Amino acid sequence: MACLSPSQLQKFQEDGFLVLEGFLSADECVTMKERIGKIVAKMDVPLHCRTVFPPGLEGQFQGKGSTEYFLSSGDNIRFFFEKDVFDKEGNFRVPPEKSINKIGHALHALDPVFKSVTYSPKIQQPHFGGEVTPHQDATYLYTEPLGRLLGVWIALEDASLENSCLWFIPGSHTSGVSRRLVLDPASSATGTSCLGSDPAWENSLFVPTPVKTGALILLHGQVVHKSEQNLSDRSRHAYTFHLMEASGTIWSPENWLQPTAELPFPPLYT
């Protein structure tokens, strides 16, 4: 992929997101899906760490074990689940491979297949600046100054209106960040707390963004987006990660995700 054209860059700056169709080939997407199947097949999550992953982090944890399991996942490959997939004893009510909401947060660094995509020459271009309720990524991954966070969302399968494509409010990235999730050790339940609150974004403002397998969507860290519940019989797998412009940027020490001695934030290009 060449650098963004002037018209693509302008579109991204105006809307806060940009679709790049055909970024990965169908074969590349199949390879990533097959790799996830192998990872899930070896999944072994202790009962006390089985964590539901709704769109907002606050209130999701069931106990100290699941809190620590999530907050220490930045340099590990760990599993987070959909709602209602466990019985009262914490056992699976559905096949384990159907229970996953998210696998994170170090696939990009620890798994060779996903690492090869993340550090592919296709990504390394330095010139482009269940239901997921409406949110901004910068709520969870805050930088100073703002505007230094870029999300990369890659469709491993077709994402349509029927199986939960992304929806955006174009231009919403220009309005700052309305809410922040911060580390709060005093909160024994979750280890995090919220500052501020999100407004009631009007549904009429959202624009659906269906894409084909292999498409890449760039997301400004402050653009408001969501996805609806997938009620179809088709899955909608995606691979997502975030980039930060390191020069002159402070990664908030209050973010839940922090670099560690074992896995510092790696540079995409040097």
Side-chain angles (χ1 to χ4, degrees):
M1 181 186 71
C3 298
L4 296 186
S5 68
S7 61
Q8 288 175 320
L9 182 58
Q10 181 179 358
K11 180 70 171 173
F12 177 76
Q13 291 172 338
E14 290 175 351
D15 291 345
F17 67 96
L18 180 71
V19 175
L20 301 174
E21 290 284 2
F23 182 78
L24 293 185
S25 69
D27 287 345
E28 288 173 311
C29 293
V30 168
T31 297
M32 295 171 76
K33 289 176 60 180
E34 289 177 345
R35 179 58 183 160
I36 284 296
K38 293 177 181 178
I39 291 172
V40 171
K42 296 180 179 180
M43 174 178 64
D44 183 18
V45 182
L47 287 176
H48 70 284
C49 293
R50 294 185 177 178
T51 304
V52 172
F53 198 86
L57 301 185
E58 63 278 11
Q60 70 169 301
F61 305 117
Q62 304 301 313
K64 183 177 180 180
S66 57
T67 299
E68 293 178 351
Y69 183 80
F70 177 80
L71 292 179
S72 61
S73 65
D75 55 4
N76 290 277
I77 297 175
R78 292 185 174 169
F79 304 88
F80 306 95
F81 301 95
E82 298 282 4
K83 296 179 181 179
D84 303 321
V85 299
F86 300 119
D87 62 22
K88 293 181 179 179
E89 286 72 41
N91 299 306
F92 288 105
R93 298 172 54 193
V94 300
E97 67 272 14
K98 301 291 187 182
S99 69
I100 301 293
N101 175 287
K102 180 176 184 178
I103 300 174
H105 286 92
L107 274 172
H108 67 284
L110 301 181
D111 183 83
V113 171
F114 286 86
K115 185 175 183 177
S116 69
V117 172
T118 309
Y119 293 89
S120 158
K122 296 180 180 182
I123 294 290
Q124 295 180 17
Q125 301 294 338
H127 298 299
F128 56 75
E131 174 191 10
V132 178
T133 56
H135 68 281
Q136 300 168 292
D137 289 349
T139 289
Y140 311 103
L141 308 173
Y142 191 83
T143 64
E144 295 180 356
L146 287 171
R148 300 299 183 91
L149 183 73
L150 181 70
V152 177
W153 189 98
I154 302 174
L156 303 185
E157 300 174 312
D158 290 354
S160 66
L161 289 172
E162 290 72 30
N163 72 336
S164 189
C165 67
L166 295 182
W167 295 64
F168 294 91
I169 299 181
S172 57
H173 62 299
T174 63
S175 299
V177 176
S178 55
R179 181 173 63 110
R180 287 187 59 198
L181 186 95
V182 299
L183 286 172
D184 183 4
S187 174
S188 59
T190 66
T192 61
S193 60
C194 275
L195 304 177
S197 61
D198 289 329
W201 288 297
E202 292 289 338
N203 281 333
S204 60
L205 298 176
F206 286 90
V207 175
T209 310
V211 295
K212 295 294 186 180
T213 300
L216 180 149
I217 303 180
L218 295 175
L219 297 85
H220 190 286
Q222 292 155 242
V223 70
V224 179
H225 57 288
K226 67 173 183 174
S227 60
E228 302 290 349
Q229 184 178 4
N230 182 4
L231 299 176
S232 76
D233 58 1
R234 294 185 294 117
S235 58
R236 190 227 64 185
H237 295 157
Y239 175 50
T240 184
F241 56 93
H242 291 85
L243 309 174
M244 179 189 72
E245 171 56 58
S247 178
T249 305
I250 297 174
W251 181 260
S252 174
E254 295 180 316
N255 287 338
W256 74 268
L257 178 64
Q258 296 293 330
T260 65
E262 292 76 17
L263 184 59
F265 289 164
L268 187 62
Y269 27 79
T270 56

